[in-house]
Amino acid sequence: MPATPKTPGASPAPATKIITDLTAPRSAVGTASYRCGNGGVITIQNLGRSLRVVGPDGVAEEFAASPANQSSRYQEAATHDAIVIDGREALVMKRGSTPQTCRR
C-alpha cells in the first residue's frame, strides 16, 4: 500500500503542556512567577522535593520540603527562611523581615 503524502497546512502535533501549578503532585516540575506585596517579583521552580527560588535581586535559594513528605511547606536549611505554597499564593518568610504574600 503506498504511503499517503502529507498535505500542506496539516495541523501540527499538539504542544506539550507545561505544568506551573506548584500544588500539583511532586512529579510535576514547573516554574511560576509571583508578584509580591513590595512590588518585587520572585520566580519559583518546583523541583519535586524542593523549590528553587530566584528573588528580585537575582539570587537563587533552594528550599527543601519541610517535613520531607509534603508539598506545600519548604525551608532553606542555612537561614531557616521558609515558603508556604497555597494555591496561587506563596507566603515568603525571611529572617528579620515581615512575611510577604506573593501571588501568581
Side-chain angles (χ1 to χ4, degrees):
M1 185 178 249
T4 308
K6 291 187 179 183
T7 56
S11 59
T16 302
K17 182 178 180 184
I18 298 174
I19 298 173
T20 57
D21 183 357
L22 295 177
T23 61
R26 288 175 177 242
S27 62
V29 175
T31 302
S33 293
Y34 291 75
R35 183 166 306 282
C36 301
N38 65 358
V41 175
I42 62 171
T43 301
I44 299 177
Q45 181 181 15
N46 182 346
L47 302 173
R49 296 176 190 238
S50 64
L51 300 177
R52 179 173 295 124
V53 179
V54 180
D57 55 1
V59 175
E61 292 180 273
E62 192 155 324
F63 291 75
S66 178
N69 64 343
Q70 57 74 54
S71 61
S72 62
R73 293 184 311 262
Y74 298 85
Q75 184 173 6
E76 202 282 324
T79 62
H80 300 289
D81 292 346
I83 293 183
V84 177
I85 304 292
D86 184 16
R88 299 182 61 82
E89 292 185 350
L91 179 62
V92 179
M93 296 165 277
K94 297 243 180 207
R95 180 184 285 179
S97 299
T98 303
Q100 288 189 59
T101 299
C102 302
R103 293 179 177 84
R104 284 195 282 156

